[in-house]
Amino acid sequence: MRNTYENEAAGSSAPRRLFAFNGGFFFQKRLRRILSLAGYSLHLGRPTEADLIAIWGNSPTAHRGLAMAERTGAPCLYVEDAFLRSLFPGRIAKEPPMGLLIDETVPHFDPSEPSDLEKLLKHHPLDDTVLLDRARGAIARLKESHLTKYAAVDDTLRPPDPGYVLIIDQTRDDAAVVASGADQARFQEMLILAQEENPGARILIKTHPETKQGARAGYYGQDHITDRVSLCDGAHSPWSLLDGAIAVYTVSSQMGFEAILAGHKPRVFGQPFYAGWDLSDDEFPLYRRQRRLTRAQLFAAAMILYPTWYNPCTDELCELEDTLEQLAAQTRAWREDRQGWNGHAMRLWKRKPLQRFFGQHKAMVFERSSSEARDMVWASKEGPEGAVRLEDGFLRSRGLGAELVPPLSLVCDDLGIYYDPTQESRLERLIAARETLRPDQERRARALIKRVRTAQVSKYNLGGVQPNLPEGHRILVPGQVEDDASILKGANGEVRSNLDLLRAAREAHPEAKILFKPHPDVEAGLRAGRVDPEEAAALADMVLDHADMAYLLDNVQEVWTMTSLSGFEALLRGCKVTTLGNPFYAGWDLTTDLGSPPARRRAEPSLEALVHAALIDYPRYRDPVSGLPCTAETALLRLSSGDIPHPGLGNRLLSKLQGRFASYQALWRR
């Protein structure tokens, strides 16, 4: 069993010497790093009986290591890519893996003797409630985000009409095929039996991604197409194809494992790890496998206990759930960016950060027409009809956008934008959809809330003074930028200025301790919204210039706001929140709303559901350290640790000029 805890224990002792006779072990940086974290030290030379010899599956170079093991008596350690590998096959894109399968007996696909995975499946109790709940949640997450071994699949690509028999092709002479004793004749037999056992049904052959890309031949081709039989070589999600299938046939493909998770009992013509547990119909059964398992038990062993998972952002071993979310973030970026983006009304200083965010798979262009690229416009600007609207996310940066500090998170909205209540936004739809969370989603959102509170993270994370606050019922009134789009769109009542907001709070609570915190952009002289000091002092018990917002939110009982994100941050900290405008978090029965939230907001999500939609589903995050798309948790780690590159001198000088000439807005449109 190679779970994270055992790997951590291994790392606490001296590394085990591991000798390799395959250049990939030395030249592939990710492979070396995962092995090192797992407690192995790679070496060249001749091993002793106390050492290990690394064998990459049944690769063409495996015979070198096997021969050395025969001569020296050193045991072998078999290494393979994990079942969630990367966006594209390694042979095509040279992407590093998200994890490894490390086995001390044989590779998992070799049925000649029980692998470490088979031993887990046969002997581990697999009865821990927490473990099985994790398995069920992870299965649901795989389906929800259409994740698979090579995750660059188009989840919007419509599969053929349902009712077909699905046959899964594999690459010719693949190690998993050869280990099962299969060949061309076996695949031909499978095709014939699929037609005989399903009279009249359409037969759909799913080609392997490497075959589609021309990297390796498969067992089926154009000569197998008939009136009943067709090839499917599109970038379909396996989960979509499995949904429409009435039966599934495979030799030893990982997609057979996914078929079990999707609810099928596949016909299996090889001897893969998932055969023999009463979850498949096996043509060549292994009689030593007699245990009956549930899908959750099979998944728990194969995906949670057996693999060694790695987080490329934090450079550490991790649990399956962390890998799932990291791969989901990278997959989302590929799916949304692969056609390219044409940015409109983007200021010059923003273009480089936007290129990093959205140009990894196809370079982003600006102010150009393109038949393929999707249009994107900054949410407060005018752009082409149908353009996706872009805005900062809610866990943004350590520093102000007005000071040209690039964001760690951005939101893309194809319906509206979150701060405009006059039309439905994608965030609204996500909040309504999350009204009922799965247990795994609720756990993740609750953990994220706890981490936000513990790390005292807010949108800009500026820090600041932590003043002694007066005793009594403390109400925080966060100031806003009065010409900000969220005020222009969302403050549609009588209260539309910071001064009016202060008056309303004081009138409603004459005995409370009112604390006014000016907006950082206003304090910096970069935006409008200044309240005359004498008027502020007449209404507020304290005016908290340059105070730490996270500290304030932890030390007040209530927040009054028009549309400020501080109201959302206050909800995360258990504060009562009163809104006088229509922010995205109003109207869901979580706040006291003195404005007029849209009537369409009928759902009653929990706080965890609101957080899942707003901090997990809606934004995209980019890790400034690794440069990869990342999870909310990684962004939160960077914000709390301060491990973020700071903008250069040029950006700082430009921000000061922008503030000085803020009234000449035409200068800053590009």
Side-chain angles (χ1 to χ4, degrees), residues 111-431:
S112 62
E113 59 180 301
S115 66
D116 291 349
L117 175 54
E118 183 176 333
K119 294 170 189 174
L120 277 172
L121 291 166
K122 190 171 183 177
H123 301 297
H124 194 287
L126 297 174
D127 60 356
D128 181 77
T129 301
V130 173
L131 176 66
L132 297 180
D133 283 347
R134 288 178 60 198
R136 295 183 189 99
I139 293 170
R141 185 69 173 111
L142 285 172
K143 296 177 182 177
E144 177 186 55
S145 292
H146 296 271
L147 298 180
T148 184
K149 184 172 185 177
Y150 308 122
V153 298
D154 186 352
D155 59 327
T156 65
L157 189 60
R158 187 173 180 271
D161 291 337
Y164 48 81
V165 172
L166 184 64
I167 295 180
I168 305 166
D169 197 6
Q170 294 177 247
T171 54
R172 188 174 294 272
D173 298 327
D174 181 75
V177 174
V178 174
S180 285
D183 53 14
Q184 180 69 57
R186 182 79 60 84
F187 279 83
Q188 184 64 27
E189 176 190 6
M190 183 168 67
L191 176 59
I192 293 170
L193 285 176
Q195 295 176 80
E196 291 178 352
E197 293 171 353
N198 300 274
R202 291 173 290 131
I203 308 296
L204 187 69
I205 298 175
K206 175 67 179 77
T207 59
H208 193 277
E210 292 184 18
T211 303
K212 166 65 176 175
Q213 297 294 324
R216 299 173 73 186
Y219 287 95
Y220 299 113
Q222 296 295 321
D223 55 327
H224 291 93
I225 297 177
T226 67
D227 291 341
R228 286 183 65 189
V229 180
S230 60
L231 297 180
C232 177
D233 61 3
H236 293 85
S237 162
W239 303 102
S240 297
L241 290 176
L242 290 167
D243 277 348
I246 59 173
V248 177
Y249 287 70
T250 184
V251 171
S252 57
S253 169
Q254 182 180 316
M255 198 169 166
F257 174 51
E258 293 166 341
I260 291 173
L261 304 180
H264 289 280
K265 190 171 187 177
R267 285 275 273 129
V268 178
F269 287 74
Q271 295 175 327
F273 75 89
Y274 53 82
W277 313 108
D278 201 38
L279 293 168
S280 56
D281 183 2
D282 304 323
E283 190 72 9
F284 301 94
L286 272 170
Y287 292 103
R288 67 173 183 262
R289 300 180 186 173
Q290 296 292 326
R291 189 179 184 187
R292 300 181 65 178
L293 297 174
T294 65
R295 294 182 177 89
Q297 289 174 315
L298 176 67
F299 185 91
M303 296 293 284
I304 297 176
L305 300 178
Y306 183 55
T308 299
W309 297 111
Y310 173 77
N311 187 328
C313 293
T314 59
D315 186 33
E316 60 187 2
L317 299 184
C318 64
E319 299 289 2
L320 167 66
E321 290 85 350
D322 301 307
T323 294
L324 276 176
E325 299 308 333
Q326 178 59 34
L327 184 59
Q330 294 178 210
T331 301
R332 177 183 176 182
W334 175 80
R335 289 173 185 165
E336 293 182 0
D337 301 344
R338 60 197 167 100
Q339 292 181 333
W341 290 100
N342 181 18
H344 300 270
M346 304 296 184
R347 293 174 178 171
L348 286 174
W349 79 268
K350 292 181 178 179
R351 295 187 180 187
K352 188 174 181 179
L354 291 176
Q355 191 69 256
R356 292 170 180 158
F357 239 101
F358 301 109
Q360 182 180 359
H361 299 286
K362 188 171 184 180
M364 190 174 182
V365 298
F366 298 92
E367 309 294 351
R368 298 182 195 171
S369 59
S370 171
S371 58
E372 294 183 359
R374 300 173 67 190
D375 288 314
M376 174 189 288
V377 64
W378 200 259
S380 59
K381 306 294 184 180
E382 294 295 326
E385 184 178 354
V388 171
R389 299 203 163 269
L390 183 69
E391 186 53 83
D392 290 333
F394 307 133
L395 296 174
R396 187 195 185 279
S397 56
R398 291 180 70 89
L400 301 174
E403 292 183 343
L404 312 192
V405 176
L408 273 71
S409 67
L410 291 166
V411 299
C412 301
D413 202 308
D414 59 337
L415 297 178
I417 193 64
Y418 70 86
Y419 59 70
D420 183 0
T422 64
Q423 58 182 327
E424 184 185 27
S425 69
R426 177 60 60 182
L427 177 55
E428 269 191 45
R429 195 170 289 184
L430 288 168
I431 293 170

